[in-house]
Amino acid sequence: MAFNVKTMPTLAPELQGEILQYFSIPECWRLAGVCKGWRRMVFNWEPFWFCLSTKPNRYIFPDMAPYKSFMKSRTVKRISIHHGCGDEANIKNGISFIQEQAFYAITEVDIVGRCFIKEEFIKLADVCGKSLTHITIGGLFEMDSDGVRPDIILQRCPNLVKLDFRGSIYNEKWAHQLAGFKHQNLSDASLRFYTADFDIQPFLKATPKLRRLCLRMSNPGLGRSLPESIQKYCPELEAFILYMHTDQLDDSDESSQKTFMSGKRIVYTDSPKNSTVMGPQLEKQDLKGLQYIVFQEELAHSEASSIILLPLVEKFNKQLISLDLGKPGCVNDDVLSHISELIFPSLKYLTLKGSSPWDVSSVSSLRSMFEHGSVPNLTHIALHQLDTIVDTVLDAITSSCPHLHSILLDNCQGITTDGMIRFLNRLTGQLREITIEQSGFALTPRVLECMGTQLQVLECLTIEAFQYDFLALADVERYLDIRNHEQKKKKNSDRKMMERLDIYFVFDSSSDYPGKARVDRLLEKMDSSAKEWSYTMVMPYEEVQVILDCGEDIYDQITHVEFRRRKKRRSKELLQIA
């Protein structure tokens, strides 16, 4: 029997829900405008009211008031009040509406506004405090003695698991309110305080179950006690993200326990029991305590590296799995010399970003770090803006890191072609991921030829080159030809496509553009070589117009998804013509 959409409102609620789940919330609003029957069907579907949000440009009150008869107290699970509608009156009216409707089952709250007083939060907590598990509060830049504070949130929400707080608070009220208090469920906290004299220690004392802490500080002097406080009060803390004098984390995702190497996420192990070290002389072992450190500091305020970072690393060096120093102010000669004297038996992920240009003495410190066997079980290394890094550093890495299978080189101009080829040849059977970005002679046709012939186990490759570098699209095409030729020598069962291939080229002039025919040929070879890939071409707007005016099409960015979609569409068109 044919389905008639007019009879949809007469279907059983379970069937209606099965159908409506395929529509977005804006689409459901449009469906509700079809007729009264559809309106009742949509508004009586409980998941429709799971989230009350001010986006796009909507007020929870009074905009939602006409529909309150459809909202059950147990239905609403999340509220979101953001900028654009994030003024004090909107927050107040929205919370009053929640209180009136007694939405006791809310588990997530996301509020951004310049002023959010504690009395309003207490009203909210009186309704749903026991069910709240995730709270995000931001934009509180005004110093208000009556503003909401993390200590009030902790005391009113006993089942809170994740807290993200951004704003300014009165420090003198903090320690007194949290004295003797212990929150037994909070495991993930992001605290971005814009109060220079803020002391984090009372919060650490009150949250013994913390496993991840992201912290912004303005006064490094207040962080002197951090290593001892973490060890004493937060024994279960696994990941610590600290950034000084900056509001932005480079290549980091604060909302989850992840860090990046050239856009490829390294997932922090959720359970300490699964965080194991595999080395030539190491058995599987359970690691407990701090294992992941992300430390970022602006170059103009680099004093925190010696005050906070070094004591932190010295205290937890034996159990660290990941150390990310991805901001120019973090890495200097003093930091490197101290780190090179330590042994990191569990470290697998290392990210270093230098200030440009680097002092030559730092090169010897970095080289000694590997020559001394400080990181025997390293598997991933990312080196950014190390302009004076030379071949001897790569030689030291190959000799001391037998388990290395991922490397990122970004603006490492001191590496020669011969040094890079020697590095690749020594790690032929183990390198799985390579990223080379703007690193001069480290990325040449000879280097790509070596990758094609020697690195058949390579799974992911990212190349970023400028026209003034030593690489052209034709060289990438030849690399793919060589790799495919080597693959054909193997048995069918042993042949493997790359997991990921990303090509990024920058051209300054339209005269350097190789033409769409060559690009199309390259894309075909990329598609036959990698399961997932992307091609990006950057050129000044006026130069792009020159190419378009000549009647030639141009790709600025295309991925395997769009390429295969176009290819499939062309095949269908050819079949229709035939």
Side-chain angles (χ1 to χ4, degrees):
M1 183 176 66
F3 175 73
N4 189 340
V5 293
K6 294 181 179 180
T7 64
M8 186 173 165
T10 64
L11 297 175
E14 295 80 8
L15 293 178
Q16 293 176 357
E18 288 292 324
I19 297 171
L20 290 173
Q21 67 178 335
Y22 292 101
F23 294 93
S24 66
I25 294 300
E27 288 172 338
C28 284
W29 276 106
R30 290 195 291 273
L31 290 176
V34 172
C35 63
K36 291 182 179 179
W38 282 52
R39 173 188 172 91
R40 286 193 300 270
M41 177 186 67
V42 172
F43 290 167
N44 284 320
W45 182 49
E46 290 191 4
F48 182 69
W49 305 108
F50 276 3
C51 178
L52 299 184
S53 174
T54 58
K55 297 184 288 186
N57 299 321
R58 199 168 54 225
Y59 290 85
I60 289 179
F61 183 88
D63 291 0
M64 294 292 102
Y67 312 103
K68 62 183 181 181
S69 62
F70 296 98
M71 305 178 194
K72 298 180 176 63
S73 296
R74 68 175 185 274
T75 300
V76 179
K77 305 294 184 182
R78 185 177 187 272
I79 63 168
S80 177
I81 305 176
H82 266 227
H83 277 304
C85 294
D87 55 87
E88 183 179 358
N90 182 38
I91 295 174
K92 182 178 180 180
N93 292 336
I95 291 177
S96 296
F97 180 73
I98 292 167
Q99 188 178 36
E100 176 189 337
Q101 297 299 115
F103 293 139
Y104 65 85
I106 295 175
T107 59
E108 296 184 34
V109 168
D110 183 4
I111 295 178
V112 176
R114 298 193 63 84
C115 184
F116 185 16
I117 61 175
K118 62 183 179 182
E119 284 76 11
E120 295 303 326
F121 178 80
I122 291 173
K123 288 181 182 179
L124 177 66
D126 287 341
V127 178
C128 58
K130 292 183 179 180
S131 64
L132 281 173
T133 58
H134 293 67
I135 294 180
T136 298
I137 294 177
L140 305 180
F141 299 109
E142 297 180 0
M143 289 288 289
D144 188 349
S145 59
D146 294 323
V148 66
R149 303 189 308 269
D151 57 308
I152 298 173
I153 296 173
L154 293 182
Q155 291 170 333
R156 296 279 176 167
C157 306
N159 296 308
L160 191 65
V161 174
K162 183 176 180 179
L163 172 63
D164 186 348
F165 184 93
R166 312 177 190 187
S168 301
I169 65 171
Y170 274 82
N171 191 44
E172 62 270 14
K173 295 189 177 183
W174 177 267
H176 174 72
Q177 294 294 333
L178 284 178
F181 176 78
K182 302 290 183 185
H183 196 287
Q184 297 301 323
N185 291 301
L186 189 71
S187 62
D188 190 337
S190 294
L191 305 175
R192 310 184 201 185
F193 295 119
Y194 301 96
T195 309
D197 60 346
F198 176 78
D199 183 10
I200 188 61
Q201 194 173 85
F203 183 86
L204 297 179
K205 288 182 180 179
T207 53
K209 300 297 183 180
L210 267 185
R211 295 183 63 189
R212 176 189 175 275
L213 174 63
C214 178
L215 181 64
R216 180 198 185 274
M217 297 183 70
S218 300
N219 186 351
L222 292 175
R224 294 181 185 275
S225 61
L226 264 176
E228 291 78 13
S229 298
I230 288 174
Q231 189 175 50
K232 182 177 181 181
Y233 303 120
C234 302
E236 298 181 21
L237 190 70
E238 295 178 3
F240 180 48
I241 303 170
L242 178 66
Y243 52 117
M244 308 291 300
H245 306 285
T246 178
D247 294 331
Q248 182 178 1
L249 286 174
D250 284 354
D251 295 334
S252 294
D253 183 2
E254 305 161 58
S255 63
S256 60
Q257 296 183 18
K258 295 178 181 177
T259 187
F260 279 77
M261 294 181 70
S262 185
K264 299 174 180 63
R265 296 187 178 189
I266 300 169
V267 182
Y268 293 151
T269 308
D270 290 332
S271 172
K273 295 181 180 180
N274 295 327
S275 301
T276 57
V277 180
M278 293 297 293
Q281 299 177 348
L282 290 175
E283 301 292 335
K284 283 189 176 182
Q285 62 184 33
D286 290 342
L287 297 176
K288 296 182 180 179
L290 192 61
Q291 300 166 33
Y292 310 94
I293 293 178
V294 179
F295 187 91
Q296 299 198 357
E297 181 178 26
E298 291 289 354
L299 185 60
H301 306 276
S302 57
E303 67 276 7
S305 295
S306 56
I307 296 176
I308 302 176
L309 175 63
L310 292 179
L312 197 65
V313 171
E314 290 174 1
K315 186 171 287 291
F316 298 102
N317 65 297
K318 293 184 179 180
Q319 61 199 58
L320 279 180
I321 293 177
S322 176
L323 179 60
D324 185 345
L325 309 180
K327 200 76 171 177
C330 304
V331 178
N332 52 51
D333 193 45
D334 183 47
V335 170
L336 282 178
S337 62
H338 277 77
I339 290 179
S340 64
E341 296 173 358
L342 300 173
I343 301 296
F344 298 83
S346 306
L347 196 70
K348 294 185 177 182
Y349 306 101
L350 176 63
T351 300
L352 300 175
K353 187 172 185 178
S355 55
S356 180
W358 245 22
D359 191 289
V360 176
S361 59
S362 297
V363 178
S364 61
S365 299
L366 181 59
R367 185 173 64 245
S368 65
M369 177 179 181
F370 298 104
E371 291 176 342
H372 295 163
S374 298
V375 286
N377 290 285
L378 197 68
T379 59
H380 297 69
I381 185 169
L383 304 174
H384 301 266
Q385 288 186 201
L386 308 185
D387 289 346
T388 54
I389 289 299
V390 293
D391 297 346
T392 54
V393 175
L394 290 185
D395 293 338
I397 292 174
T398 56
S399 61
S400 63
C401 303
H403 307 288
L404 189 72
H405 61 74
S406 176
I407 185 168
L408 180 151
L409 299 173
D410 172 23
N411 276 289
C412 297
Q413 301 287 342
I415 300 172
T416 68
T417 296
D418 290 336
M420 191 67 195
I421 291 176
R422 186 166 61 248
F423 173 81
L424 296 176
N425 284 330
R426 289 179 177 178
L427 300 178
T428 294
Q430 63 189 73
L431 276 179
R432 298 292 191 274
E433 300 181 20
I434 297 177
T435 298
I436 305 179
E437 302 174 354
Q438 303 177 48
S439 293
F441 288 103
L443 184 60
T444 63
R446 286 180 57 207
V447 172
L448 279 184
E449 183 177 351
C450 177
M451 290 185 188
T453 56
Q454 301 298 323
L455 301 183
Q456 292 301 303
V457 297
L458 192 65
E459 297 176 353
C460 300
L461 175 62
T462 298
I463 293 173
E464 180 177 321
F466 284 67
Q467 70 174 58
Y468 49 77
D469 288 334
F470 309 98
L471 204 68
L473 284 182
D475 300 315
V476 178
E477 186 178 347
R478 185 165 183 270
Y479 156 73
L480 295 175
D481 288 339
I482 294 173
R483 187 182 188 280
N484 290 335
H485 176 72
E486 293 295 327
Q487 286 289 320
K488 289 178 180 178
K489 294 180 181 179
K490 300 179 180 181
K491 297 178 181 179
N492 290 336
S493 59
D494 295 332
R495 295 177 185 177
K496 290 184 179 180
M497 295 180 68
M498 297 177 66
E499 295 295 325
R500 182 79 196 182
L501 176 61
D502 296 300
I503 307 297
Y504 185 101
F505 266 85
V506 178
F507 299 101
D508 288 338
S509 172
S510 58
S511 60
D512 298 304
Y513 180 61
K516 186 176 181 297
R518 166 151 276 176
V519 174
D520 284 338
R521 190 166 66 241
L522 173 65
L523 298 183
E524 284 285 356
K525 293 179 179 180
M526 290 176 66
D527 197 54
S528 62
S529 302
K531 296 177 183 178
E532 297 180 359
W533 56 266
S534 69
Y535 166 82
T536 303
M537 190 276 299
V538 177
M539 184 183 294
Y541 174 76
E542 57 273 12
E543 297 297 323
V544 172
Q545 286 300 122
V546 172
I547 297 175
L548 295 177
D549 290 343
C550 294
E552 185 168 16
D553 199 2
I554 187 171
Y555 296 111
D556 55 352
Q557 185 174 27
I558 188 169
T559 69
H560 62 283
V561 176
E562 178 61 23
F563 181 82
R564 290 166 189 169
R565 185 183 295 119
R566 293 181 182 182
K567 192 173 181 180
K568 187 176 181 180
R569 185 168 61 244
R570 284 197 299 269
S571 298
K572 287 184 177 180
E573 291 173 353
L574 291 174
L575 286 174
Q576 290 175 355
I577 294 174

